[in-house]
Amino acid sequence: MKKTILFGMITAMGLASCSEKDGLIQGMSGDAIVFTSSVASRVTDTRFERDDVIGVSMYAGNSFASGAENVQYATSNGSDFTSQSPITWDQAGDEATVRFMGVYPYRNGAVQNGIYSISLSTEEGVALSENDVMYASTENVARDQNNISLPFVHKLVKVVMQVCDEKGAGLSGATLKINKQQTSGSLNLTDGTVQAEGTESTLEFAANSNIPGEYQTIVMPSGATPERVITITYNGVDYPCPVDAYVFESGKKIIFSATIDKSRPVSTNPVQVSANVKDWTSEKIEAGWIFGEGETFEVLGKKACSLAENVQLSATPQPIGNFEGKLDVKDVYSLEYARTAADADASISVSGTNYILPAGKMRGTLLIPVGEKNVTGFSVSSKNEGITLTKVMVYTNNIVGLPITLWTGDGTSGNGIASDEGFPAAGYRPIVARIPLSEEQLNLFVPGAVLRCYFDNNTDVNAAELLWMGTLQLFYQWTNVGKFDENTHCLTNVVTLSMLDEIRENNNVMILEKTWNDNLEFCLNRIELKPVISSEIENFSNLLWCHYAEGGEDCHMDHGDINIGIPASLKSGDKIRITYSGATEGAYLEGVAGDVNNENSPRIFEQKTINSDATTVDIQIDDTMCSSLLELRSTERDGGIIPLTISGQGLSVHKIQLVRGTEE
């Protein structure tokens, strides 16, 4: 919404009477510039109020005119703005044209070098308009112009929530708050851009006295923010409305609505979610959340995990989820839907419970409490045609084996496609991607988790074998490392201790490269991580290899070998523990540097006889073996690093781990 201020230099021979001239207006050159105002809209009123104050700056040439930056102008009648120290044309020097900028609200000392400091008030009783930062700019103002239009625009974001009962009547007496909000920032007067800064806080909403049940607040612009929630408290009950997916764009008014339906049982009422982003001029309220009476679920502080996209509904139930772990009964499923027609009510059935999609809503979101029967997933169907679940998520803090996206490439050099820049420690292979991992991602990137690398549709099994992580080749077709699906073009690897060491060696950045060859056509699209869930029994601590965890099979040593990368943290006194099964008389294992068929390849450890009555064997690492193994990390072989190859006969290997020091 624009707030227009008309301000002009009015001469004694111009538009005002003599009495007005004496009080407000001075002559052309060297005299005060006076601002008169007509206001289209304010935060709560239709005009400027008495004692409102703006700051006006004059930009002459390539800088702000001396003494003409953030000059205070006030109004006594809501229309005319004057100043005790007004801007004059003399301050423009020899410039034929100037630029004027305005900012509201005026704060003394808030502008330094053209930057207006923003600090949102969180104190109780402060007028909402005090946080309504507005900005105006008019360029090429000639000295001989009398009437100059300076249009003000809102620079922050107004968030509105309309709270209604089941009959559509506004509910007064509620309190609302929104978390994950920065309350400070800056406005650049030269280009009008806003930058949010500072720590996150919770902001309260103010009731709109003109519209029953409407509550509003002003926040800094921001992108979609995980765990952002508007919480409505009514009659002592909290109703959390997740707004993590919405972008808060500068100058916009985002209108949400929630219906607290007290007439139906809690367990059968969904939450309808929708948002309508309008210019600040809009007062339109769209349908939104629908709550049953009482606290039915919790979303505050939980993470949104993606489950599915673009699910076409039919009368046949489709399973979604099928988790390996379990959700909490108060976790929340989010079903974003789209309809081809909405002239009548429709319904979606979730595990046998029907939820109504109201007529007139082409899009929306159902928020459904997990409850007792949907803790491992749910089924969904609809007898109505033309309904698509565009996105399905769950709000939870449980680790249930859901994959999380670590990175999405954009197909540019070094961000999905091999670039010329090499990674020296890995034989100068071209970089495919550099992926910084957050602390939260690192906490999930543990041995036993599963890494999935998705390539474009042109990538075949031979191309997948070219991918490396640091000094580790991620796929060997014939040595039981990695598993490639030619239908989905996905390479699956179990996370190992060696991978973790590669990331730590590079300051928590996952660096992916490609084997250097004549063909650089190689595109990586997305990387997912499937965390280890707490319900899994198998111990994967300090894992070095496990093809079974990648979706493959145990390695029968009569028919194959195993290549493993050497962890950078390897120390003398550690042990390599090999878990096996089906050992026969005469079974053995040996460790070779590289190709076992090359008699010149060094033996890291000689053939070790395997006990057919046991299930594990330990290889003790002394100083000599430790030095030999670590030397493999820096020894190039055809542009790559030599792996430790485990070969043998008469047994099947299930997994290989590193046991630290004297640990058992």
Side-chain angles (χ1 to χ4, degrees):
M1 167 60 67
K2 294 183 178 179
K3 178 189 291 186
T4 301
I5 295 179
L6 297 178
F7 72 101
M9 179 203 63
I10 307 176
T11 68
M13 300 298 293
L15 302 178
S17 67
C18 293
S19 59
E20 289 172 330
K21 179 189 67 176
D22 293 338
L24 297 177
I25 303 168
Q26 300 176 41
M28 170 78 78
S29 181
D31 291 343
I33 299 176
V34 177
F35 300 82
T36 59
S37 161
S38 62
V39 183
S41 175
R42 299 210 57 193
V43 177
T44 54
D45 302 312
T46 58
R47 61 181 180 85
F48 272 116
E49 301 169 357
R50 289 184 60 182
D51 301 324
D52 268 347
V53 182
I54 61 174
V56 180
S57 301
M58 175 193 285
Y59 197 80
N62 297 316
S63 63
F64 288 94
S66 177
E69 188 176 33
N70 196 37
V71 176
Q72 179 180 357
Y73 277 77
T75 179
S76 61
N77 59 6
S79 176
D80 300 317
F81 282 79
T82 59
S83 175
Q84 296 296 318
S85 302
I87 298 173
T88 67
W89 282 111
D90 280 348
Q91 291 170 287
D94 296 330
E95 298 295 331
T97 62
V98 299
R99 177 183 176 189
F100 287 102
M101 298 97 150
V103 66
Y104 173 90
Y106 169 84
R107 292 189 177 94
N108 184 33
V111 177
Q112 298 291 332
N113 298 320
I115 303 298
Y116 174 80
S117 296
I118 300 172
S119 180
L120 300 185
S121 176
T122 58
E123 297 180 8
E124 186 176 354
V126 175
L128 193 61
S129 59
E130 288 299 307
N131 287 342
D132 181 17
V133 175
M134 291 182 291
Y135 167 76
S137 175
T138 294
E139 300 183 16
N140 299 319
V141 180
R143 301 177 79 111
D144 58 354
Q145 291 190 40
N146 290 333
N147 294 302
I148 305 162
S149 177
L150 187 65
F152 272 75
V153 294
H154 299 277
K155 297 305 297 182
L156 303 189
V157 185
K158 187 176 183 183
V159 181
V160 175
M161 176 69 79
Q162 178 72 57
V163 183
C164 306
D165 63 16
E166 64 274 15
K167 297 179 181 179
L171 289 178
S172 300
T175 59
L176 285 78
K177 60 185 178 181
I178 182 170
N179 66 342
K180 297 285 183 177
Q181 298 303 309
Q182 293 174 291
T183 58
S184 60
S186 60
L187 167 63
N188 189 322
L189 296 187
T190 58
D191 60 16
T193 57
V194 172
Q195 179 68 47
E197 301 166 354
T199 58
E200 292 178 338
S201 302
T202 296
L203 290 176
E204 306 290 332
F205 283 65
N208 186 345
S209 58
N210 297 320
I211 304 177
E214 183 172 287
Y215 303 83
Q216 51 193 354
T217 191
I218 292 177
V219 302
M220 298 292 293
S222 63
T225 303
E227 302 181 45
R228 181 158 61 194
V229 176
I230 296 175
T231 301
I232 303 169
T233 302
Y234 184 74
N235 285 344
V237 179
D238 289 342
Y239 299 94
C241 307
V243 290
D244 53 322
Y246 297 104
V247 174
F248 288 1
E249 184 179 349
S250 173
K252 296 293 184 179
K253 176 164 70 173
I254 304 179
I255 307 170
F256 300 105
S257 64
T259 299
I260 299 178
D261 187 348
K262 299 176 291 184
S263 64
R264 301 179 182 179
V266 172
S267 61
T268 60
N269 277 278
V271 179
Q272 295 273 1
V273 181
S274 69
N276 186 22
V277 180
K278 296 289 185 181
D279 289 339
W280 207 310
T281 55
S282 174
E283 294 295 335
K284 184 178 181 181
I285 304 297
E286 294 289 334
W289 293 271
I290 300 176
F291 292 92
E293 186 180 18
E295 188 174 16
T296 61
F297 53 77
E298 298 171 353
V299 299
L300 191 63
K302 296 184 178 180
K303 299 176 180 63
C305 301
S306 179
L307 301 181
E309 293 183 357
N310 298 321
V311 179
Q312 305 290 327
L313 297 189
S314 67
T316 302
Q318 301 181 59
I320 292 180
N322 294 329
F323 314 132
E324 299 169 47
K326 289 186 177 181
L327 297 172
D328 186 270
V329 295
K330 289 189 176 181
D331 287 341
V332 180
Y333 289 120
S334 171
L335 283 67
E336 182 181 298
Y337 68 86
R339 302 171 63 184
T340 56
D343 53 347
D345 288 349
S347 66
I348 292 177
S349 177
V350 178
S351 298
T353 300
N354 287 327
Y355 299 99
I356 301 300
L357 309 183
K361 283 188 58 60
M362 297 290 288
R363 291 180 175 272
T365 305
L366 290 172
L367 294 184
I368 301 171
V370 167
E372 297 286 350
K373 64 179 180 179
N374 294 323
V375 291
T376 60
F378 63 92
S379 62
V380 60
S381 62
S382 178
K383 296 180 180 179
N384 302 97
E385 296 181 352
I387 300 176
T388 301
L389 299 184
T390 55
K391 183 181 294 185
V392 182
M393 299 186 299
V394 63
Y395 289 88
T396 183
N397 285 327
N398 290 357
I399 299 176
V400 291
L402 294 171
I404 62 172
T405 299
L406 296 179
W407 171 86
T408 301
D410 62 12
T412 61
S413 181
N415 197 32
I417 295 176
S419 70
D420 292 336
E421 182 183 7
F423 183 43
Y428 296 95
R429 288 182 297 276
I431 296 288
V432 177
R434 294 179 181 269
I435 306 165
L437 297 183
S438 67
E439 183 177 350
E440 181 180 349
Q441 291 169 335
L442 286 169
N443 289 336
L444 297 175
F445 201 94
V446 298
V450 173
L451 192 69
R452 295 172 181 161
C453 298
Y454 289 89
F455 300 85
D456 67 358
N457 293 338
N458 296 321
T459 305
D460 60 15
V461 65
N462 295 310
E465 198 167 30
L466 304 178
L467 187 66
W468 292 67
M469 180 191 296
T471 66
L472 307 174
Q473 191 167 355
L474 294 182
F475 181 50
Y476 292 92
Q477 291 191 56
W478 312 116
T479 53
N480 303 284
V481 174
K483 184 176 176 61
F484 185 76
D485 187 325
E486 293 194 83
N487 293 319
T488 61
H489 305 277
C490 175
L491 173 61
T492 299
N493 290 90
V494 64
V495 174
T496 65
L497 173 64
S498 303
M499 291 182 183
L500 288 178
D501 283 0
E502 293 298 318
I503 292 172
R504 294 190 185 105
E505 289 280 296
N506 290 290
N507 298 315
N508 298 333
V509 177
M510 183 191 303
I511 300 179
L512 297 176
E513 314 100 35
K514 171 187 176 296
T515 298
W516 186 272
N517 60 15
D518 293 335
N519 180 13
L520 289 179
E521 292 183 5
F522 180 96
C523 187
L524 189 62
N525 292 335
R526 187 174 81 256
I527 297 179
E528 291 181 349
L529 181 71
K530 179 179 175 293
V532 180
I533 63 171
S534 58
S535 62
E536 287 179 333
I537 299 174
E538 186 163 7
N539 176 18
F540 286 125
S541 62
N542 293 330
L543 186 70
L544 298 178
W545 176 90
C546 184
H547 197 44
Y548 178 83
E550 297 169 337
E553 299 177 350
D554 291 349
C555 179
H556 196 283
M557 303 307 293
D558 290 350
H559 307 292
D561 301 322
I562 299 169
N563 284 0
I564 63 174
I566 306 304
S569 59
L570 183 75
K571 292 181 174 59
S572 177
D574 292 343
K575 302 174 186 177
I576 296 176
R577 176 165 293 172
I578 302 174
T579 301
Y580 61 88
S581 64
T584 61
E585 191 70 27
Y588 70 88
L589 291 169
E590 65 177 337
V592 181
D595 186 1
V596 297
N597 297 316
N598 185 346
E599 60 182 20
N600 295 320
S601 296
R603 264 47 184 176
I604 302 299
F605 62 87
E606 299 296 335
Q607 291 186 6
K608 186 176 183 67
T609 301
I610 301 302
N611 186 346
S612 60
D613 295 329
T615 57
T616 64
V617 61
D618 287 344
I619 309 298
Q620 185 67 50
I621 299 174
D622 58 19
D623 290 344
T624 300
M625 185 184 296
C626 184
S627 297
S628 297
L629 288 170
L630 290 176
E631 187 177 350
L632 297 182
R633 289 180 47 82
S634 57
T635 303
E636 292 189 16
R637 170 186 51 85
D638 296 331
I641 303 302
I642 298 176
L644 172 64
T645 302
I646 306 294
S647 182
Q649 181 177 304
L651 75 162
S652 293
V653 174
H654 175 61
K655 65 181 176 181
I656 303 175
Q657 294 168 282
L658 192 68
V659 178
R660 296 293 193 185
T662 58
E663 296 177 13
E664 295 296 335

